[in-house]
Amino acid sequence: MATSKPGERKLQILQALASMLENPKGEKITTAALAAKISVSEAALYRHFASKAQMFEGLIEFIETSVFGLINQITQQQENGISQVQAITLMLLNFAERNPGMTRVLIGDVLVNEDERLQLRMNQFVDRIEMALKQALRQAVVQGDMHESDVTSRASLLSSFVVGRWHRFAKTGFKNLPGEQATAQIAQLLR
């Protein structure tokens, strides 16, 4: 009998959950359906996660780690503030495109009937994205590429643009890609 390494089953559960979230019909995910998908009992799920909310927290942690790790890479590799803003915004759109199931977590629609703290955490996630955009825009101000008075409103506009693209992607059954014509639109938002 093959035994799995510690954490392997937990990762398998999270991958299955993310895969189920890619269903464009957006049906509510039950632990029974999740257990059936990976051929284990519901009790086996609860040996790794105390609740379904903890499973969603695992996905949120993956999203946060991935996105903010990429933002850090962008800000280290790009010296120009405007280039940072463009790269961060495109990365956020591409992240959703590559991870359709995670997009439903990003916009919070799968969190509606779950623990309230999960939606609060995603709201904080969007706030942190806006702060990262502000930081890059402030860099653009220092470099003389933007006026100080534009920083807050542009960061808000860009984060709203991203969230809107995520919503559109999820609500169209993952048909309207978030990155479609995004480069030109981001340039217009930064004029």
Side-chain angles (χ1 to χ4, degrees):
M1 178 180 209
T3 58
S4 59
K5 294 178 185 168
E8 237 175 64
R9 176 66 76 182
K10 199 172 189 175
L11 181 60
Q12 182 185 22
I13 293 166
L14 291 176
Q15 287 171 332
L17 177 57
S19 168
M20 290 175 78
L21 290 171
E22 291 179 15
N23 177 351
K25 292 183 182 154
E27 286 137 11
K28 185 173 172 25
I29 293 175
T30 63
T31 52
L34 179 59
K37 182 163 177 73
I38 55 174
S39 304
V40 298
S41 67
E42 282 185 80
L45 293 178
Y46 289 115
R47 278 195 288 277
H48 298 282
F49 296 96
S51 64
K52 193 163 71 166
Q54 268 193 359
M55 293 176 208
F56 281 116
E57 279 184 299
L59 292 180
I60 292 169
E61 285 171 18
F62 167 79
I63 291 168
E64 289 173 338
T65 301
S66 300
V67 166
F68 292 111
L70 290 168
I71 287 174
N72 287 338
Q73 282 179 13
I74 289 166
T75 57
Q76 288 172 3
Q77 293 169 357
Q78 300 275 350
E79 198 171 300
N80 180 277
I82 296 293
S83 296
Q84 287 178 13
V85 172
Q86 291 169 328
I88 290 168
T89 307
L90 282 173
M91 176 276 296
L92 292 166
L93 298 175
N94 290 329
F95 179 85
E97 201 167 306
R98 283 192 208 103
N99 301 284
M102 298 294 185
T103 304
R104 295 188 56 215
V105 177
L106 288 167
I107 65 170
D109 76 339
V110 295
L111 305 176
V112 169
N113 295 316
E114 302 301 331
D115 191 310
E116 184 181 318
R117 78 181 188 291
L118 297 173
Q119 187 58 60
L120 291 173
R121 189 164 171 185
M122 289 316 302
N123 293 346
Q124 291 171 336
F125 172 81
V126 172
D127 290 344
R128 287 177 61 199
I129 285 172
E130 191 167 323
M131 284 178 14
L133 290 167
K134 273 185 192 175
Q135 202 168 348
L137 289 166
R138 285 190 185 109
Q139 178 74 11
V141 169
V142 169
Q143 294 167 337
D145 295 332
M146 184 166 286
H147 295 286
E148 179 71 38
S149 61
D150 293 342
V151 169
T152 300
S153 63
R154 297 265 174 140
S156 176
L157 181 62
L158 287 160
S159 63
S160 295
F161 170 75
V162 168
V163 172
R165 284 302 189 99
W166 290 343
H167 271 275
R168 185 171 169 234
F169 183 49
K171 299 305 179 186
T172 62
F174 309 119
K175 288 180 179 69
N176 289 9
L177 301 178
E180 194 176 314
Q181 299 179 351
T183 303
Q185 292 170 347
I186 293 165
Q188 288 177 340
L189 295 173
L190 289 171
R191 279 190 198 153

